[in-house]
Amino acid sequence: MSLYDLSLNDIQTLLNDKPFRAKQVQQYMYLHLGDFSKTTSLPKPVLEKLTKLRLFQPALKISKISSCDSGKTEKFLFSLTDQYQVESVLMTYSNRSTACISSQVGCKMNCKFCATGQMGYLKNLTRGEIIEQVIKLMYYCKTNDLHPISNIVFMGMGEPFDNYDNCIDAAFTIKDQLNIGASHITLSTVGIVPSIKKYIYDQVPFRLAVSLHAADDETRSKIVPINKKYPISELVDTLKEYANSKFSKRLSLEWTLIENINDTPDQAKKLSFIARTLKAHVNLINLNRISESKYAPTTVAKVDQFKQILLQNNVNVTVRQTRGQLIDAACGQLALQKT
């Protein structure tokens, strides 16, 4: 269990102390980013009780670092209190930092080009384990003179909408306790239709990114097996509901370009129709190679051709820069490789 899984009432019950003591602990959890080491306001018995219950943050280490002209990418390895491990990524730029956090150890979705999907599923992260990734990365930025984290993306290991309640609860806590605006928090899904419907019903204020990767069922089912359960027509109809809902924000469609699979002009035209229908922004990223997959990235020329077709069809599109590829920290590469 994580300390960040506990409510204020839970902390008070745990400490069996006056109500103000629980508020002090919660203040150190969030305003001081979990740093209890320098506190003079918490008595020693309280600190000892928390330590004995192993409710402090799980161990963390930097596993790999990669630098480029636009900034630095660092991959972190968390050892959780139940002996599982999970990876997170910190991307620092000249004026900001972004945390890419995980929602599961492994993943059930089995996407054929994703290392996490190929490692299988081990467990859902708790609400607290999700929050602690952000706390630890924020503390790392603070103590290493890096720009504070201003953006959170649930795009690390796992499928956030397969761990919906914990991810949504964690995202709201991050917003409310750590002052990250709702527009700066993005949840990603490969297309779990019932969870997207719940997201709409719950009027969740965060950004939504859908990993589409193919524009027809035959192609998508080959690389994204969940499509057999929730085909494109059902997914698009649900996303129309989201796009038309009062609390929706601009929808993003994520598209990993794979050589001779989804990098063709025909796929670009079909994607254009879907994107226009949903008034969505398309993020293109060339495939990051993984050893477990037979798939390969497409050529630079085909990336540009694909982009131009989208632009010609009045679709807003961004080609995302690949960061962290050399340290297995790029999109689709997180899989607890040995360091």
Side-chain angles (χ1 to χ4, degrees):
M1 179 183 286
S2 160
L3 180 59
Y4 292 87
D5 281 309
L6 305 182
S7 67
L8 189 62
N9 287 337
D10 292 333
I11 297 171
Q12 186 173 333
T13 300
L14 175 72
L15 297 179
N16 191 27
D17 205 328
K18 298 179 181 66
F20 80 88
R21 191 69 71 199
K23 291 182 180 179
Q24 283 182 313
V25 170
Q26 194 173 66
Q27 183 179 52
Y28 275 91
M29 287 166 57
Y30 292 103
L31 294 182
H32 298 279
L33 301 178
D35 184 5
F36 292 84
S37 63
K38 299 177 182 177
T39 177
T40 57
S41 58
L42 291 177
K44 187 175 180 180
V46 170
L47 292 172
E48 288 178 347
K49 183 178 287 189
L50 292 171
T51 303
K52 286 179 182 178
L53 290 170
R54 299 187 66 199
L55 291 174
F56 278 73
Q57 298 94 290
L60 170 150
K61 70 175 181 178
I62 307 172
S63 61
K64 294 179 181 177
I65 302 175
S66 175
S67 298
C68 63
D69 291 341
S70 61
K72 184 167 61 174
T73 300
E74 301 179 68
K75 185 167 72 171
F76 295 79
L77 182 68
F78 289 86
S79 295
L80 307 178
T81 55
D82 56 12
Q83 306 308 308
Y84 284 105
Q85 293 182 318
V86 71
E87 292 178 337
S88 305
V89 178
L90 176 67
M91 294 166 284
T92 54
Y93 302 85
S94 60
N95 60 349
R96 70 189 191 281
S97 296
T98 295
C100 178
I101 61 175
S102 295
S103 57
Q104 297 176 318
V105 182
C107 184
K108 300 175 187 175
M109 299 301 109
N110 193 28
C111 294
K112 302 305 181 183
F113 53 89
C114 175
T116 311
Q118 298 309 295
M119 71 176 278
Y121 168 81
L122 296 174
K123 65 165 269 184
N124 280 336
L125 295 186
T126 67
R127 166 185 174 272
E129 288 168 338
I130 295 168
I131 294 167
E132 285 201 63
Q133 293 172 69
V134 180
I135 292 286
K136 273 300 215 181
L137 295 180
M138 282 186 161
Y139 188 77
Y140 178 80
C141 288
K142 178 181 178 181
T143 55
N144 286 273
D145 198 27
L146 300 172
H147 284 289
I149 291 171
S150 58
N151 293 277
I152 307 292
V153 293
F154 284 67
M155 294 182 179
M157 299 175 68
E159 162 56 55
F161 277 32
D162 188 42
N163 187 17
Y164 179 89
D165 289 339
N166 285 335
C167 286
I168 298 300
D169 286 351
F172 271 106
T173 302
I174 291 165
K175 176 179 78 71
D176 297 336
Q177 297 283 2
L178 297 173
N179 296 316
I180 303 290
S183 295
H184 294 269
I185 299 173
T186 301
L187 287 104
S188 173
T189 178
V190 78
I192 312 297
V193 167
S195 293
I196 298 174
K197 288 181 178 292
K198 183 168 174 54
Y199 194 82
I200 299 167
Y201 178 81
D202 291 343
Q203 299 180 349
V204 177
F206 310 114
R207 292 194 177 277
L208 179 62
V210 176
S211 298
L212 192 60
H213 305 310
D216 62 74
D217 286 326
E218 181 179 2
T219 305
R220 192 167 194 261
S221 293
K222 290 178 182 177
I223 56 176
V224 183
I226 197 66
N227 189 75
K228 296 172 185 175
K229 187 172 184 178
Y230 306 116
I232 289 175
S233 58
E234 185 178 357
L235 176 58
V236 170
D237 285 345
T238 303
L239 293 176
K240 285 179 186 176
E241 293 179 40
Y242 172 76
N244 293 326
S245 65
K246 182 178 179 181
F247 290 88
S248 69
K249 289 183 168 62
R250 186 188 67 177
L251 177 67
S252 295
L253 298 178
E254 308 295 308
W255 191 281
T256 298
L257 286 159
I258 305 171
E259 185 179 37
N260 298 327
I261 300 292
N262 64 356
D263 61 346
T264 65
D266 180 61
Q267 285 288 309
K269 292 171 185 175
K270 289 177 179 177
L271 171 58
S272 295
F273 177 77
I274 293 172
R276 286 202 311 272
T277 299
L278 300 174
K279 299 178 182 177
H281 184 95
V282 174
N283 286 318
L284 299 178
I285 185 166
N286 210 355
L287 176 72
N288 298 300
R289 287 183 182 273
I290 61 170
S291 58
E292 301 87 349
S293 174
K294 64 182 180 181
Y295 296 111
T298 192
T299 64
V300 174
K302 283 191 175 181
V303 172
D304 186 63
Q305 179 190 46
F306 201 95
K307 174 186 174 182
Q308 293 305 319
I309 292 172
L310 294 177
L311 290 173
Q312 290 163 12
N313 283 277
N314 299 313
V315 174
N316 291 319
V317 56
T318 300
V319 178
R320 281 168 48 190
Q321 180 189 20
T322 295
R323 291 190 51 168
Q325 191 178 58
L326 297 179
I327 59 170
D328 296 323
C331 292
Q333 290 187 320
L334 299 184
L336 301 178
Q337 291 97 337
K338 294 181 179 179
T339 58

